[in-house]
Amino acid sequence: HDEMRAHLDVLEGVAGELASTGRLAEHQLASLCGTLAFLDVAVPLHTADEEETLFPELCRLSPVADARYSPLESIQTEHRGHGVSELRLKIALINRDATSASRLAIEIADAYRYHLRKEEEILFPWAEAVLDGSDVEGELAEEMLSRWRACGLARP
């Protein structure tokens, strides 16, 4: 999550600049596009790590995961919602709309920061407790790592 936070810092920094100047300069556009490119690649991988690898195993090992409302349901709902604001930010950048870009960059950063906190404070400790001592922990980690390696984003 550290790399994600660094990109969220960029969003917030550029949003502050846009709010004060009301103009979208080329260097700000480049910064925002770089962050959006990162999100376009890293977020689907991270989501797949959770929804295709971790969550099915949590559902298998923990009866709580099968409940109508669980941390999994909440996190999956947030996964589905993240792309909407990112698309709206891309449209604002195409239109060179500094005001909307500033607002949307903050909206995205806030949503992801909230999501990361939820994962770190609720999901990960819960998953660690459920998986502790299970024979699948290493398999899950390898499956996730291989997904990132296949995209050239993790070292062998």
Side-chain angles (χ1 to χ4, degrees):
H1 287 169
D2 291 338
E3 188 172 1
M4 173 67 108
R5 282 193 175 89
H7 285 281
L8 299 179
D9 290 344
V10 169
L11 282 179
E12 291 169 332
V14 173
E17 293 172 14
L18 295 176
S20 68
T21 65
R23 293 181 32 252
L24 183 59
E26 290 303 314
H27 73 280
Q28 294 161 326
L29 180 62
S31 293
L32 291 172
C33 287
T35 294
L36 286 168
F38 170 81
L39 295 175
D40 283 346
V41 173
V43 169
L45 289 171
H46 180 76
T47 299
D49 285 347
E50 292 176 353
E51 294 187 6
E52 296 173 24
T53 303
L54 179 62
F55 293 1
E57 199 59 31
L58 290 175
C59 288
R60 186 180 74 79
L61 294 172
S62 174
V64 173
D66 290 327
R68 182 179 170 144
Y69 178 84
S70 74
L72 303 184
E73 178 66 29
S74 174
I75 287 171
Q76 287 174 311
T77 299
E78 290 172 13
H79 286 165
R80 290 187 296 271
H82 287 150
V84 174
S85 294
E86 292 166 34
L87 178 60
R88 292 172 56 215
L89 176 56
K90 291 172 187 175
I91 292 167
L93 296 179
I94 290 168
N95 292 327
R96 304 289 247 172
D97 182 347
T99 302
S100 293
S102 175
R103 179 181 47 76
L104 290 162
I106 292 296
E107 183 180 300
I108 291 165
D110 288 348
Y112 275 116
R113 287 191 193 281
Y114 173 79
H115 184 78
L116 295 177
R117 274 193 312 275
K118 186 183 289 185
E119 287 185 347
E120 292 168 349
E121 295 172 6
I122 298 169
L123 175 64
F124 295 161
W126 176 55
E128 196 172 301
V130 169
L131 297 172
D132 188 41
S134 77
D135 57 347
V136 298
E137 206 168 354
E139 293 171 27
L140 298 179
E142 183 55 38
E143 183 178 324
M144 292 176 189
L145 186 57
S146 69
R147 184 177 286 120
W148 288 77
R149 281 185 190 137
C151 293
L153 295 175
R155 295 179 205 172

